């Protein structure tokens, strides 16, 4: 009989422990071998996420999503991949291989970027129920055009891929791989993720929805595209950057440009006569024409509130004795105003006609008239119509009591909702009605705020379609403050309202360029949706109306399910693809 010896047990146990420990350490060493990329492959999570879903840094679980996008010929297809690990990732890089069919047909080279994060420190006063609330206060928005990026442990980093689908592309499935690589500590990794575009026979050549985003060309804002060096107006560098802005606007389907002949013109006295030189205005318009923006010109405002929100409107008159050729503000009843505008307005009409721009020109008078200053607005409008009856007046408006003063009405979205019968009458009488958004409306209305789910930005142009509204206006294209990649909110001091995150800009400055945002991408795709719905209406009017109704229930009630939206849009593409002429 074997006698148990505790010393023998300890010896055996010790040997076994050593062996097990050695095996464990060997396995760990193998898993973390810097020479084997597969060793860290499983530690880096790469997940396909629908590009209409905002990936918060804190998000760790994502709904299942196949990296396959349905697209019409002539639009863009977008993809988003979230990268995450429980250790820091350094030097994350992305290479997007060309998408090809099995027959070898290829789409243009994809464009890649990393979604950056910006701060929203002040929420909107009346937020929507579905407002996003990241604990950090940082939201995804800019698409950074950088070669690589670092990621902190346990933070998600979106990779953005955009593929242009040319009109001449043949229908079919175009497949490729996205290579995502970097370092997890001192260990290299590389992942290949499949992605594909299903190109339908539906086609979009040009877009018909009138879209304008007002832009700033101030020395400081252009300076943010110029190594922080302010850009002197009308210099060679100034015109170069104007062209950069125009080119990006055209790429994202903006087809109306706010350009002020009043501000760009140069004035001089010749005896008792006023000489007006429109050459700078012409140069500006031609740049936007050449880059493909101008379907219409929005003539900049000639008037402004005298002081506060409810005060009467006054007009700008050049101070000819001022060496800087500045402007003074006086009522339209002032002799200086009447003398100047009785010369300027006929000269502008004559010049626009000579350049071939008169039919595409719309004139702003003074922004957002309300009941308290409607009378002063109407007085300015009467004077303008007397001296330039050929000019159609467009205005962002808060007031209905200006019939006869305005030709293209642009109410805020909530006012369009509240007074829809009035604006329907305007359309029935042959006038145009657009809508605009800015820091309002809030609540459940669609808008471009950084805090909102991205689908609410895309739905803006489904609203255009459903309610037969042919235009959209927003004031904030590039009104950056000093740190646009950080804080995005601000305070409007007069009213105490919060300027919502993202309201003042939808693009970001880069060195000699502009960088897009996921909100701008959603706007571009929504503009295309409008065009596809218009095409669908020609073939299947009842189906087009029902499809838009099932996305936009009311002005401020929508189906914001991304999955349901994708199903509807795919169905629309399939219906359009049955007719090769569409």
């Amino acid at each position: 009989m074997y006698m148990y010896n505790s010393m023998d047990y300890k010896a055996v146990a010790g040997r076994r422990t050593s062996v097990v420990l050695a095996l464990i350490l060997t396995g760990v060493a193998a898993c973390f071998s810097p020479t084997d990329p597969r060793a860290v492959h499983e530690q880096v999570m790469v997940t396909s996420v629908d590009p209409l879903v905002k990936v918060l840094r804190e998000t760790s679980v994502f709904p299942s999503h196949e990296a396959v996008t349905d697209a019409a010929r002539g639009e863009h297809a977008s993809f988003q991949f979230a990268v995450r690990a429980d250790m820091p990732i350094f030097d994350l890089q992305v290479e997007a291989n060309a998408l090809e069919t099995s027959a070898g047909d290829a789409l243009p080279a994809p464009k890649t970027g990393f979604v950056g994060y910006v701060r929203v420190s002040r929420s909107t006063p009346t937020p929507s129920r579905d407002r996003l609330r990241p604990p950090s206060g940082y939201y995804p928005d800019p698409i950074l055009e950088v070669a690589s990026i670092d990621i902190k442990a346990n933070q998600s980093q979106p990779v953005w891929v955009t593929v242009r689908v040319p009109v001449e592309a043949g229908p079919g499935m175009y497949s490729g791989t996205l290579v995502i690589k970097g370092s997890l500590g001192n260990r290299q990794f590389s992942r290949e993720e499949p992605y594909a575009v299903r190109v339908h026979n539906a086609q979009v050549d040009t877009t018909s929805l009138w879209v304008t985003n007002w832009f700033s060309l101030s020395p400081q804002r252009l300076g943010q595209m110029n190594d922080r060096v302010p850009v002197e107006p009308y210099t060679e560098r100034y015109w170069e950057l104007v062209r950069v802005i125009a080119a990006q606007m055209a790429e994202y389907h903006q087809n109306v440009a706010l350009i002020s002949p009043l501000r760009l013109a140069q004035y001089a006295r010749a005896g008792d006569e006023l000489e007006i030189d429109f050459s700078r205005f012409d140069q500006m318009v031609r740049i936007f024409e050449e880059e493909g923006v101008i379907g219409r010109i929005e003539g900049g405002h000639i008037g402004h509130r005298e002081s506060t929100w409810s005060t009467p409107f006054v007009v700008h008159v050049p101070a000819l004795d001022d060496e800087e050729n500045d402007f003074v503000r006086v009522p339209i009843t002032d002799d200086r105003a009447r003398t100047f505008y009785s010369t300027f307005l006929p000269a502008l009409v004559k010049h626009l006609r000579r350049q071939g721009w008169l039919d595409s020109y719309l004139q702003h008078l003074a922004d957002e008239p309300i009941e308290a200053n409607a009378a002063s607005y109407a007085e300015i409008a009467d004077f303008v119509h007397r001296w330039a009856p050929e000019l159609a007046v467009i205005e962002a408006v808060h007031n209905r009591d200006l019939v006869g003063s305005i030709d293209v009405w642009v109410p805020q979205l909530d006012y369009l909702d509240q007074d829809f019968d009035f604006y329907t009458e305007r359309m029935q009488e042959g006038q145009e009605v657009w809508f605009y958004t800015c820091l309002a409306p809030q609540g459940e209305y669609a808008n471009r705020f950084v805090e909102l789910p991205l689908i609410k930005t895309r739905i803006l142009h489904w609203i255009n379609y459903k309610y037969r509204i042919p235009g959209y206006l927003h004031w904030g294209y590039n009104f950056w403050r000093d740190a646009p990649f950080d804080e995005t909110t601000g305070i409007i001091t007069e009213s105490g309202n919060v300027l919502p995150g993202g309201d003042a800009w939808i693009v970001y400055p880069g060195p000699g360029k502009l960088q897009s945002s996921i909100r701008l991408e959603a706007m571009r795709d929504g503009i295309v949706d409008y065009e596809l719905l218009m095409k669908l209406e020609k073939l299947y009017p009842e189906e087009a109306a029902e499809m838009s109704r099932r996305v936009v229930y009311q002005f401020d009630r929508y189906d914001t399910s991304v999955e349901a939206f994708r199903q509807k849009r795919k169905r629309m593409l399939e219906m359009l693809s049955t007719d090769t002429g569409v």
Side-chain angles (χ1 to χ4, degrees), residues 37-48:
R38 294 173 300 177
V40 294
H41 179 89
E42 298 301 328
Q43 294 181 274
V44 178
M45 183 185 76
V46 179
T47 308
S48 172

Side-chain angles (χ1 to χ4, degrees), residues 504-574:
W505 61 87
I506 197 167
V507 295
Y508 290 81
K513 64 183 179 182
L514 291 173
Q515 298 179 100
S516 182
S517 68
I518 60 177
R519 291 177 298 132
L520 185 61
E521 304 279 306
M523 271 196 67
R524 176 199 61 202
D525 296 341
I527 294 166
V528 171
D529 291 342
Y530 173 91
E531 201 64 35
L532 292 172
L533 285 163
M534 294 292 286
K535 288 177 176 289
L536 186 65
E537 180 182 304
K538 294 179 181 178
L539 296 175
Y540 310 104
E542 293 182 1
E543 287 84 349
E546 177 63 12
M547 187 172 292
S548 67
R549 186 197 69 79
R550 291 172 61 201
V551 172
V552 179
Y553 301 133
Q554 300 174 25
F555 278 101
D556 62 345
R557 294 292 184 271
Y558 327 106
D559 181 356
T560 56
S561 164
V562 172
E563 183 179 2
F565 178 84
R566 293 299 185 192
Q567 291 171 353
K568 294 182 184 76
R569 194 176 191 278
K570 182 180 179 181
R571 175 61 181 151
M572 176 165 59
L573 291 172
E574 290 171 344

Side-chain angles (χ1 to χ4, degrees), residues 146-168:
V146 294
S148 64
I149 200 167
D150 297 336
I151 311 175
K152 293 182 179 180
N154 298 312
Q155 288 191 356
S156 294
Q157 172 59 56
V159 171
W160 195 270
V161 183
T162 302
V163 181
R164 184 176 65 85
V165 182
V167 171
E168 60 272 14

